[in-house]
Amino acid sequence: DIELGVFEDNFVGTIRSLLEILQNDEQDMHLFAVMNSKMFDFDINDLSEIRLNSPNSRYFYQAVKSSKTSANINAKLKNKLTQFTETVDYLRQLSKLLKVDELIVEVLNKTGFKHKIMAEVDGEKSINLINKLLAFLSEKSYNSNLSKFLDYIKDNSINFGVESKDGGVTVTTIHKSKGLEYPVVILMGAGQSLQKKVKGEFLISKNFGAGIDFYDNVNRVKQKMLVKNAINLEQDRSEKEERLRLLYVALTRAVNHL
């Protein structure tokens, strides 16, 4: 029984983030996720240039709209920003008229995201998840309204799996095993570090804002800024606490043998 939270998939998660900003474009983390994805292909330098061009904008989407007409932004980036905002505006209007599953199909078609996903190594898996999600939504009452759908997934996960038969082996995540017990539990990856080592070039924090590296092109030097160091420490602590909580859950699922 392999269960997967559908929005844990990177590409499906990008679609969810786009739906979130159609509802409310003042959600910077979802906006960064969409712009920096395969859907729109803004890189870290583009995002940094947009923010530096409009440092006083409270929300990043305000900086995006301001940068479209700024003399400080190069023509190529201006064109990308214009196409991006026009796409968002178009889909936002449709979101008031279409059901959620219909809106997702239009997102895939308008952005060409489906073809971009299929070009990836695991793209077929993501497309299958999207198709399952569309079929699932067609039978739900919250499919009629984007706001209802986003409210639902805020507090509930959508999982697809196959029911295991008697005598079978259940493969599941620690999250999904909360409150359950099994005669025998095999915990995979227990020898891994409690702390993730991979960090992005661009970090976001509710407490500290955005953290980026400083690039000195003249002296060819790259240096972490103070804000990014603070975000790193904050995220390291949060990740370690969460992984310890998950480890406790995993270690207490076994009835007879672990």
Side-chain angles (χ1 to χ4, degrees):
D1 174 21
I2 302 178
E3 288 195 355
L4 175 66
V6 65
F7 298 113
E8 294 174 20
D9 178 88
N10 183 49
F11 297 116
V12 186
T14 298
I15 294 173
R16 185 252 177 99
S17 289
L18 179 58
L19 296 180
E20 291 280 1
I21 65 172
L22 294 182
Q23 184 75 10
N24 177 9
D25 57 32
E26 294 179 352
Q27 301 181 86
D28 285 357
M29 296 184 74
H30 283 299
L31 182 57
F32 287 135
V34 170
M35 295 183 72
N36 194 220
S37 72
K38 293 287 184 180
M39 187 180 286
F40 291 103
D41 285 323
F42 288 88
D43 61 30
I44 191 65
N45 292 324
D46 293 332
L47 299 178
S48 299
E49 187 174 346
I50 293 166
R51 171 48 77 189
L52 290 172
N53 178 67
S54 187
N56 297 322
S57 295
R58 182 176 181 184
Y59 299 107
F60 195 73
Y61 198 70
Q62 295 172 342
V64 168
K65 291 190 290 186
S66 173
S67 296
K68 285 195 306 179
T69 56
S70 173
N72 299 321
I73 299 294
N74 66 75
K76 182 179 178 181
L77 181 53
K78 278 185 181 180
N79 185 52
K80 286 178 68 175
L81 289 171
T82 298
Q83 291 180 355
F84 172 71
T85 54
E86 287 178 351
T87 299
V88 169
D89 289 342
Y90 169 77
L91 293 172
R92 180 176 288 124
Q93 291 301 316
L94 285 185
S95 71
K96 301 172 183 177
L97 305 172
L98 301 180
K99 294 180 179 179
V100 177
D101 58 344
E102 296 170 341
L103 179 60
I104 291 174
V105 171
E106 186 60 29
V107 166
L108 294 171
N109 293 335
K110 178 67 175 176
T111 63
F113 197 39
K114 183 175 182 178
H115 299 294
K116 294 177 182 179
I117 295 174
M118 288 300 296
E120 297 297 312
V121 175
D122 294 326
E124 187 174 351
K125 174 185 172 184
S126 297
I127 292 297
N128 288 336
L129 274 177
I130 292 171
N131 289 334
K132 285 185 178 181
L133 176 62
L134 294 174
F136 175 85
L137 287 175
S138 66
E139 302 174 352
K140 301 299 178 182
S141 61
Y142 48 77
N143 183 48
S144 62
N145 182 278
L146 179 59
S147 180
K148 290 181 181 178
F149 169 69
L150 294 177
D151 284 342
Y152 176 82
I153 63 174
K154 190 178 298 181
D155 300 315
N156 302 276
S157 61
I158 297 176
N159 307 298
F160 301 126
V162 180
E163 293 185 1
S164 58
K165 299 179 181 179
D166 291 341
V169 175
T170 298
V171 181
T172 187
T173 65
I174 298 175
H175 281 292
K176 302 298 183 300
S177 71
K178 288 181 180 178
L180 302 176
E181 290 184 330
Y182 305 92
V184 178
V185 170
I186 300 174
L187 177 60
M188 307 297 293
Q192 296 177 0
S193 170
L194 288 174
Q195 204 163 307
K196 296 180 182 178
K197 296 182 179 180
V198 178
K199 297 289 183 181
E201 293 184 39
F202 194 80
L203 301 181
I204 303 295
S205 164
K206 290 183 179 179
N207 296 321
F208 300 105
I212 60 176
D213 294 325
F214 169 74
Y215 292 90
D216 185 341
N217 293 325
V218 176
N219 297 311
R220 303 179 69 83
V221 173
K222 172 183 174 182
Q223 183 176 352
K224 286 185 179 179
M225 302 296 286
L226 181 61
V227 172
K228 186 173 182 181
N229 286 333
I231 296 174
N232 259 318
L233 291 173
E234 178 188 54
Q235 291 184 352
D236 286 345
R237 179 175 179 177
S238 176
E239 288 169 4
K240 185 175 290 186
E241 289 174 349
E242 174 61 19
R243 288 167 82 84
L244 281 171
R245 284 192 289 269
L246 285 176
L247 180 61
Y248 173 79
V249 172
L251 295 177
T252 55
R253 297 309 92 200
V255 176
N256 299 320
H257 299 287
L258 174 64

